[in-house]
Amino acid sequence: MINILQFRELCIELQHKVNAISDSQIDTVVMAVREEHMVKKLQNKFGITLCASFPDAQSSGTEDNYTDNQQAFFFVVKRLTPGQLDDETEITTYAELQDIMLNLRDVIRDYYSECMGIIPEESYKIEWEYQIFGGVNGLSMGVTFKNND
């Protein structure tokens, strides 16, 4: 199972690499165990946030060849009050978040997929999110990876 401190460092590196290639910037990184935990951590956050779930692990294999398959979810979100934005501003904001998420996906594929052992067939599905974590909107992406010990 990936060390949670190393995973936090990875998330911070991702923020810096994505910010270097994106027109818009990720303002903060938030990690949490569960959705309720994420809600509390995002209460006073504004701007664009990269959220990450702590990776779950499923161990498999035999005595001499254990493998942990782990799954984490990344979210690129921004607090948007429903009905407060006109259609043009809303779609422009979603386009901004989409650009960041696509850059995040590319950075993970280009720089981290091999060292993390990412399983491409089970990763990189991007979905739109509306009013998650107590009222933020954006996109989510799941990543599944192997960790051989």
Side-chain angles (χ1 to χ4, degrees), residues 4-88:
I4 199 64
L5 297 174
Q6 291 174 337
F7 187 71
R8 179 184 62 187
E9 292 304 313
L10 168 73
C11 291
I12 292 168
E13 286 177 22
L14 288 171
Q15 176 191 15
H16 293 296
K17 286 186 184 295
V18 170
N19 282 351
I21 61 172
S22 296
D23 292 334
S24 300
Q25 302 292 290
I26 297 170
D27 298 303
T28 187
V29 175
V30 174
M31 294 175 47
V33 176
R34 300 258 180 262
E35 183 174 342
E36 301 82 24
H37 191 204
M38 193 72 74
V39 169
K40 289 180 183 178
K41 288 187 163 205
L42 287 171
Q43 279 179 344
N44 298 318
K45 301 279 191 251
F46 294 95
I48 297 172
T49 304
L50 172 62
C51 302
S53 65
F54 285 18
D56 293 329
Q58 175 66 46
S59 186
S60 62
T62 59
E63 291 176 14
D64 60 344
N65 190 18
Y66 287 112
T67 300
D68 279 342
N69 285 350
Q70 299 171 93
Q71 185 172 39
F73 290 93
F74 294 97
F75 301 83
V76 174
V77 297
K78 186 173 184 177
R79 188 166 305 283
L80 301 172
T81 306
Q84 198 170 30
L85 302 176
D86 61 46
D87 285 345
E88 187 60 30

Side-chain angles (χ1 to χ4, degrees), residues 82-118:
Q84 198 170 30
L85 302 176
D86 61 46
D87 285 345
E88 187 60 30
T89 305
E90 181 181 45
I91 199 158
T92 301
T93 302
Y94 276 119
E96 173 185 43
L97 297 173
Q98 182 182 37
D99 180 60
I100 292 172
M101 178 57 84
L102 293 174
N103 285 335
L104 175 66
R105 181 195 61 194
D106 293 346
V107 165
I108 292 172
R109 276 199 296 215
D110 295 345
Y111 294 99
Y112 297 99
S113 64
E114 192 171 315
C115 67
M116 288 179 62
I118 291 178

Side-chain angles (χ1 to χ4, degrees), residues 107-134:
V107 165
I108 292 172
R109 276 199 296 215
D110 295 345
Y111 294 99
Y112 297 99
S113 64
E114 192 171 315
C115 67
M116 288 179 62
I118 291 178
I119 305 168
E121 302 81 24
E122 299 177 23
S123 300
Y124 306 123
K125 181 178 181 184
I126 297 173
E127 296 184 45
W128 293 100
E129 302 290 350
Y130 177 76
Q131 294 294 295
I132 60 168
F133 306 138

